[in-house]
């Protein structure tokens, strides 16, 4: 294992210290319990809190800021954060509008966020993200996994909260967006969890894991390496079969790198996806390409399709100012 | 070799097509000859043009937009673009203010940009970037290599051009910034050039290349893996020995990933660098962390220090709106 680290036990705290130092103007790191929050809160706004195991950076802390999250609770690598983190974060960023927890559907995360939701004194609601169409039930999940589509949920619900949407409206909007999301990923190499020190999954030199989870969980099948066009077709077919969009539907496409794949290859996948979606009669109205929901150093990528409507499009386009996603005035 | 591609000969054109599709609102892709340009030009502004071999994405095309470049000329992977690309780009984006070529110091790039500078009918000047303190002369270079500091040059000179600086002022500012820049990188794994299909450098399971170039060129030494603190100390010592800053100097720190290193590890390096610089009496005023000047899927990172003054700081902070770097109004 070759990684930039000092003591493996300090990996998370040192990494978060670097994050807080780099973005000291906009975020504050709290320890014991561990969470990251916006430096400047907006009174009365619904507070958006997410979190989950580390190793998926920039998810979630990279999306703290105006137009997205108010706080994020990082667990150890691929390990759920604990309820005390979420309760403390809620206490720190709730300013009268209540708390919306955005939770990726993994059993540990769901259980811990539920405990926090029951224990916090703050009014709260939860949006559960389960956009991964690859498999029902998985190593750490009952039901579908929550993956890169989470970024879209955090962006558009964050925008609604910023615009004054109340807790009920934000939750309802989040639930609606989740139903219009589908994702699937493929791994070309494994990730290595620092504490484990060895690859999570063992792939041959000509193999890939189609439908992989963001922790290296098994997907639909282990298969031989294919062309970018063939991989794109298989991912999009799975997603569109699940979403059943109308012909001519307007969509948002997210081409997400899993960590170890060069940006040039992600743009090549983007080209393949645009060609395929166009041939399928879809209209790609917005595209985002980059590493947003990663799996440490895994080489691979996922595609996410979100079926747009006017409300989702407006909240996607609205200004956002976070370390990892930033546009608009 | 496992990469997302169709035909290796189409790698660059497909990747650029995906880039143009994802950013169709702000960039235009030209083929024959190949270059990427801003969609909306500003009459009379000095036009900034950069370029070089592909494989370093988002450099350079990712930095096209308001506040940075007007055009970029991509060569094949790790191969210089040709003068006809630069001449065509100059003709397309020069609007009366002349052209400033920003060139990384590699022999092929230097030769081809010189030919373009002599052949174009447009008034022009050149800034040569040679920020890599690791070695004098290298596989593809006479003198020091140009690496991640190029992003800082493109940002601050782009800002001056946007503010109305003329060609001479932009060139002089660029030359001045280059003298205040130092970078050094380290590779934990090799990259694989698609056409070659095999690793550029062969590193043992416990080895790293200290002072590596962004094409996998040899650095200062091949050595055993060290802690993040020790790596950071060696990189910063080399940079600060070169720059000889005054005690208390204000600096901009760039922690740049070479492609295959997870963001969490880059932030850990950022923490180590902040601690070390602070102990050395430096004041880190600005920090940028991420993949900006990559070497395909190479695991590794580089550190860049820029000695700030008021003018550089103001042009660093000014608004920028490009696919890969974006902030401000």
């Amino acid at each position: 294992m070759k990684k930039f680290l000092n003591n493996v036990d300090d990996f998370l705290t040192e990494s978060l210290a670097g994050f807080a130092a780099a973005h000291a103007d906009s975020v504050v790191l709290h320890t014991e319990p561990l969470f990251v929050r916006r430096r400047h809160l907006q009174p009365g706004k619904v507070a958006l809190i997410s979190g989950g195991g580390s190793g998926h950076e920039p998810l979630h802390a990279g999306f703290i800021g105006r137009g997205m999250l108010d706080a994020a609770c990082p667990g150890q690598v691929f390990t759920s954060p604990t309820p005390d983190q979420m309760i403390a974060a809620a206490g720190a960023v709730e300013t009268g509008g209540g708390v919306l927890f955005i939770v990726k559907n993994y059993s540990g995360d769901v259980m811990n966020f539920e405990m926090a939701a029951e224990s916090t004194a703050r009014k709260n609601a939860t949006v559960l993200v389960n956009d991964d169409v690859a498999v029902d039930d998985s190593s750490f999940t009952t039901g579908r996994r929550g993956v890169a589509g989470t970024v879209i949920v955090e962006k558009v619900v964050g925008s609604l909260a910023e615009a004054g949407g109340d807790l009920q409206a934000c939750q309802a909007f989040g639930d609606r967006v989740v139903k219009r999301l589908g994702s699937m990923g493929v791994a070309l190499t494994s990730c290595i969890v620092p504490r484990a020190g060895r690859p999570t999954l063992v792939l041959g030199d000509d193999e890939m894991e189609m439908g992989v989870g963001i922790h290296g969980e098994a997907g639909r099948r282990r298969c031989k390496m294919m062309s970018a066009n063939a991989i794109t077709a298989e991912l999009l077919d799975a997603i569109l079969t699940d979403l059943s969009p109308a012909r001519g539907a307007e969509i948002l496409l997210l081409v997400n790198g899993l960590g170890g794949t060069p940006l040039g290859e992600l743009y090549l996948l983007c080209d393949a996806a645009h060609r395929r979606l166009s041939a399928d009669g879809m209209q790609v109205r917005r595209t985002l390409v980059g590493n947003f929901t990663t799996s440490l150093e895994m080489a691979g990528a996922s595609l996410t399709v979100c079926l747009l409507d006017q409300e989702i499009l407006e909240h996607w386009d609205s200004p956002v100012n976070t370390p990892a996603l930033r546009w608009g005035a």
Side-chain angles (χ1 to χ4, degrees), chain A:
Chain A
M1 176 180 66
K2 290 196 281 189
K3 289 180 184 284
F4 292 112
L5 54 78
N6 293 304
N7 184 323
V8 73
D9 289 333
D10 300 327
F11 181 82
L12 180 59
T13 50
E14 291 184 4
S15 180
L16 286 171
F19 177 80
H23 308 290
D25 56 330
S26 62
V27 304
V28 182
L29 173 63
H30 286 249
T31 53
E32 301 177 27
L34 194 61
F35 64 93
V36 189
R37 52 158 280 196
R38 278 198 215 188
R39 185 171 285 282
H40 308 290
L41 301 175
Q42 190 182 315
K45 187 184 82 69
V46 173
L48 266 61
I49 300 179
S50 192
S54 295
H56 308 299
E57 289 71 29
L59 193 76
H60 293 276
F63 301 119
I64 294 173
R66 191 166 55 85
M68 286 185 83
L69 299 180
D70 291 273
C73 304
Q76 293 293 325
V77 173
F78 295 177
T79 303
S80 176
T82 49
D84 61 315
Q85 295 175 256
M86 303 150 191
I87 293 165
V93 301
E94 201 269 342
T95 57
V99 171
L100 186 68
F101 293 115
I102 299 179
V103 183
K104 301 194 301 303
N105 190 35
Y106 293 94
S107 303
D109 290 1
V110 170
M111 183 181 71
N112 287 326
F113 272 102
E114 273 178 4
M115 285 177 62
E118 287 164 12
S119 305
T120 177
R122 313 288 173 151
K123 183 175 61 171
N124 68 82
T126 297
V127 171
L128 194 66
V129 185
N130 62 352
D131 54 315
D132 189 341
V133 305
V135 291
D136 286 325
D137 304 334
S138 182
S139 320
F140 313 117
T141 330
T142 303
R144 291 176 10 167
R145 301 173 296 215
V147 291
T150 310
V151 176
I152 297 170
V153 176
E154 292 177 357
K155 169 66 183 82
V156 299
V157 178
S159 169
L160 177 60
E162 215 75 43
D166 67 15
L167 184 59
Q168 193 184 354
C170 287
Q171 181 189 30
F173 185 46
D175 286 345
R176 194 165 77 73
V177 171
V178 169
K179 292 198 180 73
R180 300 170 73 94
L181 274 180
S183 300
M184 194 158 111
V186 60
L188 309 191
T189 67
S190 181
C191 53
I192 298 178
V193 175
R195 239 181 251 281
R198 53 186 161 62
T200 305
L201 73 166
V202 179
L203 288 167
D205 283 346
D206 59 348
E207 284 183 331
M208 57 185 186
E209 182 72 26
M210 179 61 74
V212 72
I214 55 173
H215 311 89
E217 308 99 302
R220 289 190 171 187
R221 63 190 186 105
R222 179 77 49 99
C223 57
K224 296 291 179 194
M225 195 62 202
M226 304 189 296
S227 72
N229 285 343
I231 291 169
T232 301
E234 184 160 341
L235 295 176
L236 288 177
D237 284 353
I239 294 167
L240 296 181
T241 297
D242 182 79
L243 289 176
S244 300
R247 196 170 172 82
E250 302 191 341
I251 66 167
L252 160 63
L253 170 70
L254 167 58
V255 181
N256 174 63
L258 294 178
T261 286
L263 189 55
E265 292 181 42
L266 297 181
Y267 277 118
L268 188 145
L269 283 179
C270 172
D271 173 58
H274 269 252
R275 284 188 277 106
R276 177 77 189 196
L277 288 162
S278 175
D280 284 348
M282 305 287 112
Q283 296 184 63
V284 184
R285 292 287 305 278
R286 296 291 183 275
T287 306
L288 183 68
V289 181
N291 292 323
F292 297 101
T293 303
T294 62
S295 182
L296 295 167
E297 69 275 78
M298 182 182 284
S302 63
L303 300 180
T304 298
V305 170
C306 177
L307 301 180
L308 290 171
D309 59 21
Q310 196 55 36
E311 185 183 16
I312 300 174
L313 183 60
E314 280 173 16
H315 286 299
W316 178 257
D317 284 345
S318 67
V320 59
N321 189 2
T322 72
L325 206 64
R326 195 178 277 161
W327 59 64

